[in-house]
Amino acid sequence: MKKNYKLTMFACFTGYIVQGIINNFAPLLFVTFNESYGIPLSKIALLISINFGVQLTVDLICALIVHKTGWRIPIVLAHILSLCGLIMIAVLPNVLENKFTAILCSVIVFACGGGLLEVLVSPIIEACPTKNKSGIMSLLHSFYCWGHCGVVIVSTVFFAVFGIEKWPVLAVIWAVIPLVNSFIFAITPLNEETHEEREKSSIGALFRNRYFIILIVIMFCAACCELSVAQWSSAFAEKALGVSKTVGDLLGPLLFAALMGISRLIYGFYLSKKNIDLEKVIFFSGLLCIASYLIISLCPIPMVSLVGIGICGFSVGLLWPGSFSLGAANIENGGSRMFALLALFGDLGCGMGPFVVGTVASLKGDDLNFGILTAVVFPIIMCLCLFSFIRKNAKSRQ
């Protein structure tokens, strides 16, 4: 009997919603942590880096062992860790005297779940018997954006109705989604047999591939481009632009995530079906990202800076899924190891970008404008690498 992979794809889409929750719920509370618990921005920046540092470590471990363990056990474990982390962040600050330690322990647990999700969801959906792989990959990653949007909208409404002090209750509510999806992944079909045919390249062979070296730099910079603004957009709107938390959440993270998701949908449903080189689309996205960084950090008009945040969200939409698709299209027999290593360098960028912004901002008296301006170096490096990638592909075609 032919297996029905619609449930598998649904579970993958929901998996990225879970990823959107665990990566973006805590940033909505950065100012609350700062004001209620007295945690300075430098330590909050450290939380971001530890989150993605743990995910990076998990990515590395998965690159070494995932071809032996298979997909089902670790993908279910990813959801269990995600829900445990969300429950812990709701409970531990009321139990432990050191609030930073309480939040840190919670971040570490759901970061382990996030790392597993990042490594496993993309190859699982890549292995499904579907056409238009790059379009499906872009559509998959758009669900991260819708998870991000859902977190911002529901959280903002919840805080407005019940008060920001009730945020631990909302954290427990969010934990229901990974709980349900863990049961779905326990029963849904996974096309591991087909994917195993591509598990032929060793880690050493991948690092000897010139395309792969360029790709990991692109992936690192793509993650820096996205998270440098995404993780600080709410705090930026509140602190630098002088708006309320409600307006900051709606016009910062929500605008960013919505436009990022829209750009992924446009590629998934339209551009991926045209004869347009993916690397060129990513290159022009990088140029737009540079422009958005300059608007956000240099424009003295608050509302124009907020528009810059939205432009940035649209520009970075294709960077992460596009890097995965470039790897799948240009590197033969990469398999799960390739996805794991790309996710590893992506998570390294996820931690580095926000850390640079937060650290530089702290050195300049919590000036987030200057912190974001410094991070413009990441899209510049990415565009240079993409230009090199385009030239290499052009020579290969000739």
Side-chain angles (χ1 to χ4, degrees):
M1 182 180 295
K2 184 178 180 180
K3 294 180 180 178
N4 187 341
Y5 284 91
K6 290 183 179 179
L7 184 61
T8 306
M9 296 178 68
F10 172 81
C12 289
F13 294 153
T14 307
Y16 262 101
I17 291 176
V18 173
Q19 183 84 337
I21 292 171
I22 62 177
N23 280 346
N24 297 289
F25 178 63
L28 295 177
L29 302 168
F30 281 171
V31 174
T32 301
F33 293 157
N34 175 254
E35 295 176 351
S36 300
Y37 299 148
I39 302 174
L41 285 181
S42 58
K43 279 195 171 183
I44 292 176
L46 184 62
L47 280 176
I48 300 171
S49 295
I50 290 174
N51 175 22
F52 292 108
V54 171
Q55 291 193 36
L56 185 152
T57 304
V58 172
D59 294 342
L60 179 58
I61 294 172
C62 282
L64 299 173
I65 67 172
V66 71
H67 62 286
K68 296 180 181 179
T69 63
W71 288 337
R72 195 174 304 278
I73 293 176
I75 194 65
V76 172
L77 178 62
H79 287 80
I80 293 174
L81 290 170
S82 298
L83 74 91
C84 287
L86 288 168
I87 292 174
M88 287 172 62
I89 202 171
V91 175
L92 287 186
N94 296 320
V95 176
L96 299 181
E97 183 177 352
N98 190 319
K99 307 303 181 183
F100 177 75
T101 301
I103 297 171
L104 176 62
C105 292
S106 308
V107 166
I108 290 173
V109 172
F110 65 58
C112 290
L116 288 170
L117 286 170
E118 193 61 63
V119 169
L120 295 166
V121 174
S122 291
I124 287 174
I125 205 164
E126 175 76 16
C128 290
T130 59
K131 299 178 181 179
N132 189 19
K133 296 288 187 180
S134 65
I136 292 295
M137 185 67 72
S138 183
L139 180 62
L140 167 70
H141 285 259
S142 74
F143 276 84
Y144 174 86
C145 306
W146 309 135
H148 189 168
C149 290
V151 166
V152 175
I153 294 172
V154 174
S155 298
T156 300
V157 173
F158 184 91
F159 297 152
V161 175
F162 298 102
I164 187 66
E165 67 277 3
K166 298 294 184 180
W167 68 264
V169 176
L170 184 59
V172 175
I173 294 173
W174 286 126
V176 174
I177 297 177
L179 174 64
V180 173
N181 212 39
S182 65
F183 288 106
I184 297 176
F185 264 118
I187 62 172
T188 190
L190 304 178
N191 198 21
E192 294 188 73
E193 295 82 2
T194 300
H195 199 66
E196 284 175 359
E197 297 175 3
R198 300 183 62 185
E199 296 286 349
K200 297 177 182 178
S201 292
S202 65
I203 292 177
L206 285 170
F207 278 101
R208 288 191 295 270
N209 188 314
R210 291 180 299 172
Y211 284 105
F212 184 72
I213 297 299
I214 297 174
L215 268 176
I216 59 178
V217 177
I218 292 173
M219 191 71 170
F220 171 82
C221 292
C224 289
C225 292
E226 178 181 333
L227 272 295
S228 292
V229 172
Q231 290 283 300
W232 287 106
S233 56
S234 179
F236 176 83
E238 291 182 64
K239 293 281 188 180
L241 304 180
V243 298
S244 68
K245 174 168 178 56
T246 300
V247 175
D249 288 349
L250 289 174
L251 296 183
L254 181 59
L255 181 65
F256 183 94
L259 287 172
M260 183 167 65
I262 289 171
S263 69
R264 290 174 175 177
L265 286 180
I266 290 173
Y267 184 82
F269 284 115
Y270 180 70
L271 291 180
S272 63
K273 300 175 183 178
K274 304 293 181 179
N275 293 323
I276 303 175
D277 291 338
L278 178 60
E279 59 265 28
K280 291 182 180 179
V281 177
I282 301 175
F283 176 77
F284 286 109
S285 296
L287 294 179
L288 184 60
C289 183
I290 294 171
S292 70
Y293 267 61
L294 297 177
I295 293 172
I296 294 169
S297 58
L298 298 178
C299 183
I301 304 173
M303 290 309 297
V304 176
S305 294
L306 285 173
V307 171
I309 290 176
I311 295 172
C312 184
F314 187 86
S315 69
V316 302
L318 194 58
L319 304 185
W320 188 289
S323 298
F324 277 137
S325 294
L326 284 178
N330 291 277
I331 300 174
E332 295 182 359
N333 303 322
S336 297
R337 291 187 186 93
M338 180 195 69
F339 282 100
L341 289 171
L342 287 176
L344 186 154
F345 281 92
D347 284 334
L348 181 61
C350 287
M352 183 60 67
F355 178 76
V356 168
V357 172
T359 302
V360 172
S362 294
L363 293 175
K364 283 285 186 177
D366 290 346
D367 185 356
L368 283 173
N369 295 71
F370 188 77
I372 291 175
L373 177 61
T374 303
V376 76
V377 66
F378 297 122
I380 291 174
I381 294 173
M382 185 190 66
C383 285
L384 293 174
C385 291
L386 280 163
F387 183 72
S388 175
F389 196 91
I390 292 169
R391 290 186 63 186
K392 284 181 179 295
N393 273 351
K395 291 180 179 179
S396 297
R397 293 189 187 101
Q398 289 175 358

